[in-house]
């Protein structure tokens, strides 16, 4: 996929789970005011999909596009079922993958209620220090539910404190 | 567990995954203004835990308490590992459980950005019609991130339309 290309658009059916071999994507919704809300970033080693659409073959509510040039390995719904039936260790693989994904989603939801803007940014920066440099600032703001100016302010404030 | 008893309090370690044999619980955080934010309701057939605390044996960020008298079946971290190693079908069981849980969490997150208060309430009422009658209105409001008065207003408006 080239940069900015769509893997999935809202209203389509998400036919595959996609594993990122190289590159970076995001999944997001657009609200009625036209604002993006980013659900997930996926880079090398991560999977991305509209999970409800993939599992239940219903219309996707998410859009997915590439932030960088991206190479994917994709598996269809039927092959996913067949794979886990024929190769039981894949059940274990996906059980562990989903387990970690649930833990991450919980952490994010709790953080959204209990952390300040700076704490949210620092949690992300601490968890994924390298990836943060690959993602434009306005997309990080959208992921954290903050205004882009807030991210600018936090970065400046952190840089000043590090310089002390 | 008796009604209102805590299964887990913030700061403790979540030592078990708990399966609800009978009853109803909720997991929630409390923000600095003392407001509850409900993460999950769990009733017969559901599992509940602070997943990050359970997996990584770190301090829980969630509280869990019983809304009704509750009976649980509990499994420790060590037994959970042993069970999935010895009985591979349990990997499949938990893979499917987590798969559905991820889909539900995605739906809720998307709904929080794109739906009106009434749509959020209707989605919940449509998904879990029976359970909604067991949960006090102020807890439903907390789960949906709405004011209790908003839930009252929506219920009255729906009742009026049904009476037409």
């Amino acid at each position: 996929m080239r940069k900015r290309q769509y893997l999935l658009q809202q209203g389509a059916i998400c036919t595959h789970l996609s594993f990122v071999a190289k590159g970076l994507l995001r999944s997001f919704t657009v609200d009625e005011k036209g604002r993006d809300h980013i659900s997930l970033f996926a880079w090398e080693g991560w999977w991305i999909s509209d999970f409800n659409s993939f599992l239940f073959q219903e219309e996707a509510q998410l859009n997915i596009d590439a932030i960088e040039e991206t190479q994917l390995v994709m598996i269809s719904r039927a092959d996913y079922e067949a794979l886990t039936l024929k190769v039981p260790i894949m059940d274990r693989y996906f059980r562990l993958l989903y387990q970690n994904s649930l833990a991450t989603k919980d952490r994010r939801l709790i953080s959204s209620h209990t952390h300040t803007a700076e704490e949210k940014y620092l949690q992300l920066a601490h968890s994924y220090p390298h990836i943060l440099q690959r993602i434009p600032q306005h997309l990080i703001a959208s992921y954290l539910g903050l205004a882009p100016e807030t991210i600018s302010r936090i970065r400046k404030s952190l840089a000043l404190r590090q310089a002390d």
Side-chain angles (χ1 to χ4, degrees), chain A:
Chain A
M1 298 177 63
R2 62 177 192 281
K3 204 171 159 174
R4 303 230 172 114
Q5 193 179 342
Y6 277 90
L7 174 64
L8 179 69
Q9 295 199 60
Q10 188 183 345
I13 305 291
C14 179
T15 55
H16 292 73
L17 286 185
S18 297
F19 177 85
V20 185
K22 190 173 180 333
L24 177 63
L25 307 97
R26 62 167 180 156
S27 62
F28 64 102
T29 52
V30 182
D31 70 19
E32 58 193 6
K33 288 177 185 159
R35 282 179 309 218
D36 291 358
H37 298 272
I38 294 180
S39 294
L40 193 86
F41 295 111
W43 56 88
E44 290 81 6
W46 288 59
W47 292 82
I48 196 162
S49 72
D50 180 312
F51 216 41
N52 278 287
S53 176
F54 176 73
L55 290 178
F56 309 117
Q57 299 290 296
E58 60 190 33
E59 285 187 8
Q61 293 198 279
L62 290 171
N63 303 280
I64 302 176
D65 68 3
I67 299 173
E68 301 175 355
E69 270 203 9
T70 294
Q71 291 171 10
L72 300 171
V73 180
M74 301 170 76
I75 184 165
S76 72
R77 185 82 179 85
D79 284 346
Y80 171 73
E81 288 304 324
L83 179 69
T84 54
L85 278 172
K86 282 183 195 157
V87 189
I89 197 75
M90 293 310 292
D91 269 331
R92 186 170 183 84
Y93 170 78
F94 283 110
R95 195 261 295 169
L96 292 168
L97 184 78
Y98 297 160
Q99 182 171 300
N100 287 331
S101 182
L102 279 170
T104 303
K105 276 184 205 282
D106 274 359
R107 222 165 23 236
R108 184 177 175 204
L109 184 68
I110 293 166
S111 165
S112 77
H113 294 140
T114 57
H115 288 183
T116 64
E118 185 172 310
E119 285 166 346
K120 284 177 198 174
Y121 179 81
L122 283 174
Q123 188 182 52
L124 189 68
H126 178 75
S127 301
Y128 309 112
H130 299 298
I131 211 69
L132 221 58
Q133 296 159 12
R134 288 166 63 181
I135 303 176
Q137 192 159 306
H138 70 281
L139 297 184
I140 292 172
S142 164
Y143 178 78
L144 293 175
L146 302 173
E149 310 83 63
T150 308
I151 301 281
S152 281
R153 189 173 47 71
I154 292 169
R155 283 190 167 174
K156 270 179 210 151
S157 149
L158 290 173
L160 279 174
R161 270 182 273 164
Q162 282 176 341
D164 281 346

